[in-house]
Amino acid sequence: MKSEELKSGIYWVGAIDWAIRDFHGYETPRGTTYNNYLIDDKEPTLLDAVHHDFVHISIDNISRIISPEKIKHIIINHIENDHASGVEKILEIVPDANIYITERGKKGLNRFIDLSKYKVNIVKSGDKLKIGQRTLLFIETPMMHWPDSMFTYIQEENVLISQDAFGQHIASIERFDDEFVKNNSMEDLEDAVIDYYANILMPYGSVIKGKVEEIKKLGLKINMIAPDHGVIWRSHIDKVLNLYSSMVDAKAQLSNVIVYDTMWHSTEQMVFPIAKGLEDEGVPVKIIKLRSTPKNVVIKEIWKARGVIIGSPTLNNGLFPSVAELLTYLKGLRLKNRLFGAFGSYGWSGEAVKEMYDVAKAMKLETFEPGIKVLYKPSEEDLAKCYEFGKAFGKALKEYHAKI
Ligand code: FEO
């Protein structure tokens, strides 16, 4: 894949990772890209590096535009390994380049690379760097995605280099949103944005909301958003900004997702009458079986729905391991504004339902109680109770959704 011109003199020089399917535990069926950008100005400037396994591709892309030895400045917007681990290789070529990074970025990157031998400049929000015809404005965006993160805005071109924000895990031949939509669909692209946000940025929703407001107040005109993963936004900027506005408020649709796992199908038998009860209340339902579905897809579906009901058998006096794993992940993602319910079968002790509610309460989710548990195998009477549970949950969910 060759470099691509975003605007006159501004190039994508990144790499496409077609093969990756496990991105630190996040399943990426479409692969991903590591985007970085080169500005060929009087003082050539590289914005971000890439994953170290792909840095030779980025260097090759740069070579097609200028000799890499000419790079004068390196901007490090985010120090996570997928973006900054390639910088050492670039610094071997240009050890005298000026590095621009936030204070937290320097502290963090210093744990990976000995920065003492390089020219490191600390920048903060509002600082500018003139590189010739263009001026770069730095905007700190802590926790979007890590404490070190920042955006770089190319003033004269109205281009925002947004590192992780607005990204998607998509490896594609298309570099721009309109190209991707033309060959795929807008729904595909939106789905990738939601998947990425729900699994990576969800915990920082309130921080991101504040930062988006702050950026709006700066009155920056933006006609291109170039993230460090996936396609570059040039035709659907309002779409992705609106999507983010709704996501930072944890908005959800009036629907319910039932996520469950099962040992001998008893918990599974409880799923269908619960779903029928919800459906009879007019609430759309999705059913997901753990261990058959990638974790990030489960999270994305939970993110979309206002109601979440989780089913787990009791195993060894506790949760079924796959359910425990999901709840641990969900807790870390700090899901909010959802109605939660739980159910499950058990043999003798039956702690799973209570443990699921304990986690939901620790997450400060609204809970619908009591949950429902069944000894060994649901009887006809138990199945009728499951249906009633689904109906009652559906009613409560509609009221809760109207309040939010
Ligand atoms: Fe794509 Fe937070 O790294």
Side-chain angles (χ1 to χ4, degrees):
M1 184 72 200
K2 60 177 177 49
S3 50
E4 184 127 15
E5 199 166 30
L6 275 65
K7 299 228 173 189
S8 178
I10 305 176
Y11 301 86
W12 174 87
V13 288
I16 303 173
D17 190 347
W18 299 100
I20 191 168
R21 292 295 177 268
D22 181 345
F23 189 94
H24 61 45
Y26 179 127
E27 207 162 304
T28 47
R30 287 173 179 266
T32 195
T33 66
Y34 311 108
N35 299 338
N36 62 340
Y37 304 94
L38 178 76
I39 308 176
D40 183 15
D41 208 318
K42 187 173 168 207
E43 297 175 358
T45 300
L46 184 67
L47 296 116
D48 295 322
V50 294
H51 189 296
H52 59 81
D53 288 345
F54 294 81
V55 69
H56 61 287
I57 296 173
S58 181
I59 292 169
D60 189 46
N61 282 336
I62 295 166
S63 307
R64 292 165 202 269
I65 303 156
I66 57 165
S67 166
E69 287 83 12
K70 289 189 175 164
I71 293 172
K72 179 92 175 156
H73 307 297
I74 300 173
I75 316 297
I76 299 178
N77 287 306
H78 181 25
I79 65 163
E80 194 167 0
N81 303 40
D82 49 333
H83 307 296
S85 60
V87 78
E88 212 167 5
K89 206 80 196 157
I90 291 164
L91 285 166
E92 280 175 19
I93 303 170
V94 279
D96 288 330
N98 301 301
I99 297 171
Y100 296 85
I101 191 167
T102 62
E103 187 157 14
R104 285 162 162 175
K106 181 186 173 190
K107 206 181 269 180
L109 193 60
N110 214 20
R111 302 292 297 175
F112 296 100
I113 301 169
D114 176 10
L115 289 175
S116 62
K117 51 190 175 178
Y118 301 115
K119 294 179 187 167
V120 180
N121 301 273
I122 302 293
V123 292
K124 51 187 188 327
S125 283
D127 287 352
K128 291 181 182 178
L129 174 68
K130 187 89 180 150
I131 59 169
Q133 290 178 7
R134 299 173 186 82
T135 313
L136 307 183
L137 167 69
F138 303 111
I139 304 162
E140 290 172 276
T141 57
M143 301 322 295
M144 203 166 159
H145 168 221
W146 277 9
D148 60 280
S149 297
M150 70 171 178
F151 289 170
T152 299
Y153 177 68
I154 308 169
Q155 275 189 332
E156 292 76 6
E157 318 277 357
N158 304 322
V159 175
L160 185 70
I161 309 291
S162 64
Q163 39 95 23
D164 276 338
F166 311 112
Q168 336 88 45
H169 283 310
I170 295 176
S172 67
I173 206 75
E174 302 91 3
R175 292 277 58 76
F176 295 98
D177 54 353
D178 46 284
E179 295 171 347
F180 183 86
V181 168
K182 187 173 161 220
N183 294 339
N184 299 273
S185 70
M186 194 65 221
E187 288 70 32
D188 262 1
L189 187 51
E190 274 187 30
D191 189 69
V193 172
I194 294 169
D195 194 301
Y196 185 93
Y197 182 91
N199 283 278
I200 293 176
L201 296 175
M202 190 201 303
Y204 315 116
S206 51
V207 179
I208 295 170
K209 186 176 178 178
K211 189 45 77 176
V212 169
E213 290 304 317
E214 196 183 315
I215 290 169
K216 272 187 195 161
K217 277 186 199 148
L218 290 175
L220 302 180
K221 199 173 158 215
I222 296 172
N223 61 30
M224 191 175 280
I225 298 177
D228 278 1
H229 296 289
V231 298
I232 296 159
W233 301 90
R234 68 177 176 190
S235 297
H236 300 285
I237 292 174
D238 285 348
K239 189 103 183 163
V240 73
L241 289 176
N242 289 339
L243 201 49
Y244 262 65
S245 290
S246 98
M247 291 192 296
V248 294
D249 283 333
K251 284 189 181 154
Q253 59 205 20
L254 176 57
S255 67
N256 193 89
V257 61
I258 301 176
V259 183
Y260 74 98
D261 214 330
T262 194
M263 286 173 68
W264 294 107
H265 304 292
S266 291
T267 298
E268 188 170 58
Q269 286 177 38
M270 300 171 76
V271 170
F272 310 116
I274 293 172
K276 183 78 177 87
L278 281 154
E279 217 178 28
D280 286 352
E281 275 300 318
V283 176
V285 189
K286 262 196 183 156
I287 297 171
I288 296 178
K289 182 178 178 297
L290 285 171
R291 288 187 296 159
S292 309
T293 315
K295 198 166 62 247
N296 49 296
V297 173
V298 178
I299 295 296
K300 179 177 60 184
E301 294 303 334
I302 289 176
W303 171 256
K304 288 180 188 170
R306 180 68 72 204
V308 182
I309 303 178
I310 300 186
S312 172
T314 295
L315 175 69
N316 300 331
N317 304 99
L319 292 169
F320 200 67
S322 58
V323 177
E325 185 195 2
L326 172 73
L327 288 169
T328 302
Y329 189 45
L330 205 51
K331 195 173 170 195
L333 289 170
R334 292 181 232 155
L335 181 72
K336 56 182 185 182
N337 298 343
R338 300 294 187 276
L339 184 65
F340 181 91
F343 66 98
S345 64
Y346 68 101
W348 46 98
S349 54
E351 291 90 343
V353 170
K354 180 181 177 306
E355 285 192 19
M356 287 187 276
Y357 276 113
D358 287 347
V359 176
K361 285 173 190 166
M363 291 167 65
K364 299 193 174 23
L365 294 179
E366 188 87 5
T367 55
F368 178 83
E369 296 183 75
I372 186 159
K373 58 184 193 176
V374 158
L375 183 63
Y376 284 119
K377 180 178 184 297
S379 63
E380 283 306 315
E381 195 185 334
D382 291 326
L383 294 174
K385 281 184 190 161
C386 289
Y387 174 77
E388 290 308 325
F389 175 82
K391 265 190 86 83
F393 190 96
K395 263 187 205 142
L397 182 61
K398 285 188 284 188
E399 285 166 21
Y400 178 67
H401 184 71
K403 277 195 302 192
I404 293 283

